[in-house]
Amino acid sequence: MLKRLFLSERAMLTAIIINAVVIFALYFPEFRDNWWLLTIDHAFILFFLVEVIVKLAVLKPKEYFSAAWNRFDFLIVMGSLPVFLEGVLDIPDAAGLLILLRLFRLIRLVRFLRFIPNIEQVMAGLGRAMKASVFVLAVLVFLNFMLAIITCHFYADMAPEYFGNPLVSIYSIFQLFTLEGWNEIPAAIVKTTDSPMTIGMTRFYFAIVVVLGGIFGMSLANAVFIDEMMMDNNKDLEDKVDALTEEIRALRRDLGA
């Protein structure tokens, strides 16, 4: 019975979700130190520890640790054990660490990915898309850096909250790339001057920034990413077309003979 329970992925996923709900409830001020919820939370740690022990006994260490998901679960469970110190030892300075370890266990929720159909193909497509997007992302990072320095040079005094230093400027330019604040940021600068030429040049400059980074740059990155993600579907279609072409050629050869 225990083996069937702890070797059932659906049962363990249900336990993970319930534990997540308990942790969610613990962050309400009125339930933060609730004895029952803390006890249930600790009980789930023991439950997952028993899961590790049962799997190690059934699968043996070599087979158990050969699976990436099992290694992932083992690290999460072992990293959660210090939570048992909560309420046992008076360690106020470590309270933040204990809370962090409790949140750390929520990462186990990613196990639900195992129930998504064709997850292997999705992850493979995601990996290809990330590799294909590296060059485009590198160009966007360089463009962001370059524009941030230029903008900081000209507008640091006029809008210090956006371009007061290079780091703040990088973040503001990234906002413009995502089309967030594309109107508010130039408007804040325009309010600081009465010069028609400065106002016109400012609006023109930030329009160029939005077009280059927000429209062309981000759109290109999205296009490359989506194209690589969809490659599996295109490959299946190409394989079918190639197979059909070979059949037509074979039929022509038979008719010619």
Side-chain angles (χ1 to χ4, degrees), residues 9-203:
E9 289 294 335
R10 295 184 183 277
M12 298 313 301
L13 182 63
T14 301
I16 291 170
I17 293 174
I18 295 174
N19 189 201
V21 172
V22 172
I23 294 175
F24 175 80
L26 281 169
Y27 279 88
F28 285 92
E30 59 269 28
F31 298 133
R32 186 162 296 167
D33 297 317
N34 184 278
W35 185 87
W36 285 105
L37 289 177
L38 288 173
T39 301
I40 294 173
D41 182 49
H42 292 170
F44 271 110
I45 299 176
L46 289 175
F47 181 80
F48 295 131
L49 180 61
V50 173
E51 177 201 7
V52 170
I53 295 172
V54 169
K55 286 187 174 181
L56 282 170
V58 173
L59 302 176
K60 305 306 178 187
K62 184 177 181 180
E63 183 180 353
Y64 176 84
F65 288 108
S66 64
W69 283 109
N70 290 338
R71 294 195 298 270
F72 174 78
D73 288 342
F74 181 83
L75 290 175
I76 297 296
V77 173
M78 294 301 106
S80 302
L81 293 181
V83 174
F84 280 112
L85 298 175
E86 190 176 24
V88 177
L89 298 178
D90 185 16
I91 44 174
D93 292 339
L97 175 61
L98 296 178
I99 292 173
L100 181 62
L101 290 173
R102 182 188 296 151
L103 291 174
F104 186 58
R105 297 205 316 281
L106 290 177
I107 301 174
R108 286 170 60 95
L109 285 170
V110 302
R111 285 178 64 175
F112 84 93
L113 292 175
R114 302 178 70 173
F115 299 96
I116 297 178
N118 302 319
I119 184 60
E120 292 82 7
Q121 294 182 11
V122 173
M123 296 305 293
L126 181 61
R128 288 195 311 271
M130 291 297 292
K131 291 179 181 178
S133 302
V134 167
F135 177 73
V136 177
L137 292 176
V139 172
L140 282 175
V141 169
F142 174 76
L143 182 62
N144 188 346
F145 179 82
M146 181 182 68
L147 291 174
I149 298 298
I150 294 173
T151 312
C152 182
H153 176 79
F154 286 104
Y155 296 104
D157 295 331
M158 300 177 70
E161 68 275 23
Y162 295 114
F163 307 107
N165 63 63
L167 288 178
V168 174
S169 186
I170 286 174
Y171 178 73
S172 299
I173 293 296
F174 180 73
Q175 280 187 294
L176 294 172
F177 281 6
T178 61
L179 302 183
E180 180 183 351
W182 66 271
N183 186 35
E184 291 83 354
I185 292 176
I189 296 174
V190 167
K191 289 179 181 178
T192 64
T193 180
D194 295 325
S195 170
M197 179 174 290
T198 302
I199 293 173
M201 291 299 296
T202 296
R203 288 173 174 168

